[in-house]
């Protein structure tokens, strides 16, 4: 029997029984679920996500559920428990997992935990899927019962492929890579749900995820960075200035000072506003945990090359202040009061993503900067084998920060301590993370420049002190003028000898 003819028979049965609940296919959507609605004015309607069109028997079970709800109404009861539409026919919660919970109950619990002052406020990234705009906030209504299969489905597949299949059922699901930090975050999230008493985080699911995590080995090596040369950055910035002045100013500040993307919003003093060093840029510093950050102080960034200050009007205080104000107007900074009374900045990561998406946006490429910035990755060579050719690829926003670090190593004699302080991290981080993409030629040029300072050269020989004169060779007037024995005089020059010299000079003056 075709699904539509079976649905017509089911609808006829409900009408003959004067049931106030009816079934139809989902309006205007290629949905695999039946749709239930009330016939009375202002009646409720929702998807029956536990009853699938392509499952034999689900339609009959759904009709029986609605007829039972009608009998409940006739006995004075509340009628249909709409949450039951999200359970498969005959499904009951496992005896060892506690009562069923709705997605709304679970999301309310987690949203409270990741709010400012909550136990996960400083580690909220793995739980962003429970926010209103997160996956579970978009995919399921709050009144729907949560099911372990739905949580497992999210854990094992990429969110992008889940969204794509929700729009078009023909789209395949893409498995998550289990040797990534994002999958480790999923495992952490499920373990925390179990700790908070969420029943769908079953021991079986936790064991399965832990097994996948342990069997995948170490977290995979990050993708290579494509670092542009100074000339390539400059040519690109020239194009962006013409394309969009605001974006051009932001990217010029990031490239010239080696900033993190979100730090542009937190500039305190622009070039030209410091009386000590006009080229310095003062920026707020934060202790960050995901979206939440607490201000801890400030730092000063150094321009490189300084010629970009004039070229891109970064030292034009009036122009830069106007650009900064416009940036903050379009993308406001969000703050919240912490439990200790301090101020937390709540959307630094979101602000950073604004700039990140200007360079690369997988789902909205039309919003990207039209001029594409390309850089180079230089694969490491093996001993005895020819050097692999460099690989060109599109740059990300953070590659501009890496380019600044390499440019500073190659073209300046600044100490590692100064460069690390300017970038806002430790010397160890500067050396291990930000210089890994430098080439042999860049290392060589930097060392040659440093050597030109004559560091480590043999110091000039010290001039040996002259041997002290014997006491008899010291003229009497000079000896008498001493108030005390001076350094460098013979040991026999004593206070008694000085007193005798003064008496002899007095006698000679009277004679």
């Amino acid at each position: 029997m075709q699904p539509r003819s079976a649905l017509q028979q089911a609808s006829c049965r409900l009408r003959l029984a004067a049931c106030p609940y009816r079934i139809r296919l989902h309006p205007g959507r290629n949905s695999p679920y039946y749709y239930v609605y009330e016939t009375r004015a202002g009646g409720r309607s929702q998807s029956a996500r536990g009853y699938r069109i392509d499952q034999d028997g689900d339609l009959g079970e759904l009709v029986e559920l609605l007829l039972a709800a009608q009998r409940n109404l006739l006995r004075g009861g509340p009628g249909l428990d709409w949450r039951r539409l999200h359970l498969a026919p005959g499904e009951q919660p496992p005896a060892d997992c506690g009562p069923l919970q709705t997605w709304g109950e679970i999301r309310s619990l987690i949203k409270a935990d990741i709010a400012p002052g909550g136990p996960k406020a400083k580690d909220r990234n793995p739980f962003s899927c429970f926010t209103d705009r997160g996956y579970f906030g978009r995919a399921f209504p709050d009144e729907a019962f949560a099911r372990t299969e739905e949580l497992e489905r999210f854990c094992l597949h990429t969110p992008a492929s889940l969204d794509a299949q929700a729009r078009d059922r023909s789209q395949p699901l893409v498995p998550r890579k289990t040797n990534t930090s994002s999958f480790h975050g999923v495992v952490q999230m499920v373990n925390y749900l179990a700790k908070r008493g969420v029943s769908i985080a079953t021991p079986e699911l936790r064991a399965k995820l832990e097994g996948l995590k342990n069997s995948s080995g170490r977290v995979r090596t990050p993708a290579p960075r494509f670092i542009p040369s100074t000339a390539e950055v400059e040519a690109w910035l020239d194009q962006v200035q013409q394309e969009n002045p605001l974006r051009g100013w932001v990217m010029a500040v990031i490239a010239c000072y080696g900033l993190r993307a979100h730090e542009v919003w937190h500039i305190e003093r622009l070039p030209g506003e410091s009386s000590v060093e006009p080229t310095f840029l003062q920026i707020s510093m934060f202790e960050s945990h995901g979206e939440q950050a607490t201000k801890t102080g400030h730092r000063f960034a150094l321009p490189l090359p300084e010629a970009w200050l004039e070229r891109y009007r970064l030292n034009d205080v009036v122009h830069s202040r106007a650009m900064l104000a416009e940036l903050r107007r379009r993308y406001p900074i969000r703050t919240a009061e912490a439990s200790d009374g301090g101020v937390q900045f709540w959307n630094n990561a979101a602000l950073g993503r604004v700039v990140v998406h200007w360079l690369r946006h997988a789902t909205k490429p039309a919003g990207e900067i039209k001029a594409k910035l390309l850089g180079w990755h230089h694969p490491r060579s093996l001993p005895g084998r020819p050097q692999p050719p460099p690989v060109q690829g599109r740059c990300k926003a953070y590659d501009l920060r890496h380019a600044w670090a390499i440019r500073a190593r190659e073209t300046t004699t600044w100490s590692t301590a100064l460069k690390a302080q300017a970038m806002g991290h430790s010397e160890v981080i500067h050396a291990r993370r930000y210089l890994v993409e430098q080439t042999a030629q860049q290392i060589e040029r930097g060392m040659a420049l440093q050597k030109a300072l004559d560091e480590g050269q043999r110091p000039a020989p010290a001039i040996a002190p002259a041997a002290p004169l014997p006491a008899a060779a010291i003229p009497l007037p000079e000896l008498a003028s001493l108030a005390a024995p001076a350094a460098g005089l013979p040991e026999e020059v004593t206070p008694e000898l000085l007193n005798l010299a003064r008496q002899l000079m007095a006698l000679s003056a009277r004679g």
Side-chain angles (χ1 to χ4, degrees):
M1 183 181 296
Q2 296 299 319
R4 190 169 294 276
S5 61
L7 181 59
Q8 290 172 349
Q9 289 193 14
S11 299
C12 182
R13 183 180 175 190
L14 293 172
R15 281 197 303 272
L16 291 175
C19 181
Y21 309 108
R22 302 294 170 81
I23 307 171
R24 65 179 177 180
L25 298 179
H26 203 293
R29 196 186 282 183
N30 186 23
S31 173
Y33 308 110
Y34 290 107
Y35 194 77
V36 174
Y37 65 97
E38 287 184 282
T39 56
R40 60 186 177 181
R44 184 173 174 178
S45 61
Q46 99 178 26
S47 292
R49 299 182 70 91
Y51 298 83
R52 297 181 61 94
I53 297 171
D54 54 1
Q55 293 292 327
D56 293 336
D58 277 15
L59 180 57
E61 294 285 351
L62 181 55
V63 170
E64 293 301 330
L65 176 66
L66 299 182
L67 291 175
Q70 179 200 17
R71 292 192 293 271
N72 181 270
L73 273 176
L74 294 175
R75 292 194 299 267
L80 178 63
D81 182 353
W82 291 84
R83 297 178 302 174
R84 301 292 302 181
L85 297 179
H86 296 281
L87 288 177
E91 181 180 5
Q92 296 295 330
D96 59 343
C97 290
L100 283 177
Q101 297 162 304
T102 65
W103 282 114
E105 292 169 342
I106 296 173
R107 293 202 314 112
S108 296
L109 175 73
I110 299 303
K111 286 196 295 183
D113 285 357
I114 63 178
K120 285 296 179 181
K122 295 184 178 182
D123 187 24
R124 72 191 306 268
N125 278 357
F127 306 95
S128 59
C129 54
F130 293 100
T131 63
D132 293 343
R133 294 186 178 182
Y135 172 75
F136 294 113
R138 301 190 312 268
F140 303 101
D142 282 347
E143 66 273 10
F145 281 121
R147 302 163 69 178
T148 299
E149 308 90 84
E150 294 161 344
L151 178 61
E152 181 177 348
R153 181 182 169 94
F154 171 79
C155 294
L156 298 182
H157 302 93
T158 63
S161 69
L162 290 167
D163 289 338
Q165 193 178 78
R167 294 189 297 267
D168 182 356
R169 283 190 293 161
S170 65
Q171 295 297 316
L173 290 177
V174 179
R176 288 182 187 263
K177 290 182 171 59
T178 56
N179 61 337
T180 61
S181 58
S182 63
F183 183 77
H184 289 197
V186 165
V187 177
Q188 174 193 344
M189 177 264 289
V190 174
N191 288 336
Y192 184 76
L193 291 179
K195 179 181 177 181
R196 295 290 279 128
V198 175
S199 59
I200 59 174
T202 62
E204 293 78 15
L205 176 59
R206 295 169 59 196
K208 181 176 182 178
L209 296 178
E210 286 289 348
L212 291 171
K213 171 185 170 183
N214 295 334
S215 64
S216 61
R218 296 188 306 169
V219 176
R220 65 173 179 170
T221 304
R225 293 191 175 277
F226 298 97
I227 308 301
S229 67
T230 302
E232 289 169 330
V233 175
E234 184 172 279
W236 177 72
L237 287 175
D238 290 346
Q239 297 179 64
V240 182
Q241 301 292 315
Q242 299 298 320
E243 177 185 325
N244 187 305
L246 177 61
R247 292 185 177 188
W249 180 83
V250 171
M251 302 314 301
V253 171
I254 291 174
C256 186
Y257 285 93
L259 303 187
R260 303 174 180 92
H262 73 273
E263 289 179 331
V264 182
W265 276 262
H266 299 286
I267 293 174
E268 297 183 22
R269 282 196 291 179
L270 289 156
E273 293 184 333
S274 171
S275 59
V276 177
E277 174 49 65
T279 65
F280 282 3
L281 187 75
Q282 184 177 340
I283 314 154
S284 301
M285 290 187 69
F286 297 91
E287 179 184 354
S288 297
H289 301 275
E291 292 277 349
Q292 175 269 335
T294 304
K295 184 175 176 180
T296 59
H298 55 259
R299 80 171 197 274
F300 295 92
L302 309 179
L304 189 66
E306 285 192 21
W308 285 356
L309 296 179
E310 187 73 28
R311 188 182 187 95
Y312 303 117
R313 299 180 65 186
L314 303 185
N315 57 359
D316 183 337
V317 177
V318 174
H319 172 72
S320 289
R321 274 290 162 199
M323 289 292 170
L324 183 58
E326 177 63 15
L327 181 70
R328 290 169 173 169
R329 185 191 68 80
R330 292 190 187 184
Y331 312 100
I333 299 171
R334 288 176 51 206
T335 60
E337 184 175 350
S339 56
D340 59 0
V343 175
Q344 291 180 339
F345 294 79
W346 199 248
N347 66 330
N348 278 353
L351 296 176
R353 283 193 293 272
V354 170
V355 177
V356 168
H357 288 162
W358 286 351
L359 268 73
R360 301 189 71 171
H361 199 311
T363 59
K364 298 179 181 178
E368 296 176 354
I369 293 173
K370 292 181 175 59
K372 305 307 178 187
L373 177 61
L374 302 179
W376 299 90
H377 168 65
H378 297 264
R380 299 291 180 253
S381 61
L382 297 175
R385 296 187 181 181
Q387 172 70 42
V391 181
Q392 192 175 35
R394 284 183 60 182
C395 297
K396 300 178 181 178
Y398 218 79
D399 294 336
L400 291 172
R401 181 167 163 85
H402 284 258
W404 188 96
I406 293 174
R407 187 161 61 245
R409 175 68 178 88
E410 182 183 9
T411 64
T412 75
T413 57
W414 297 338
S415 67
T416 302
L418 177 63
K419 291 180 288 188
Q421 186 177 7
M423 296 189 75
H425 51 225
S426 68
E427 294 181 49
V428 173
I429 291 294
H430 187 84
R432 291 184 179 177
R433 183 178 300 173
Y434 286 88
L435 299 178
V436 294
E437 290 289 347
Q438 62 181 337
T439 65
Q441 292 78 10
Q442 290 167 334
I443 297 173
E444 185 178 22
R445 284 193 289 266
M447 290 184 65
L449 189 63
Q450 196 76 29
K451 186 176 182 297
L453 292 177
D454 292 333
E455 290 190 358
Q457 297 295 317
R458 183 180 301 170
I463 300 176
L469 295 173
I474 301 175
L476 185 62
E478 184 176 334
L479 191 62
S481 66
L482 294 174
L489 292 180
E491 293 182 359
E492 58 262 34
V493 179
T494 62
E496 293 78 9
L497 182 59
L498 294 178
N499 188 39
L500 179 60
R502 285 192 285 272
Q503 291 177 4
L504 290 175
M505 287 296 296
L507 290 174
S508 62
R510 284 199 297 270

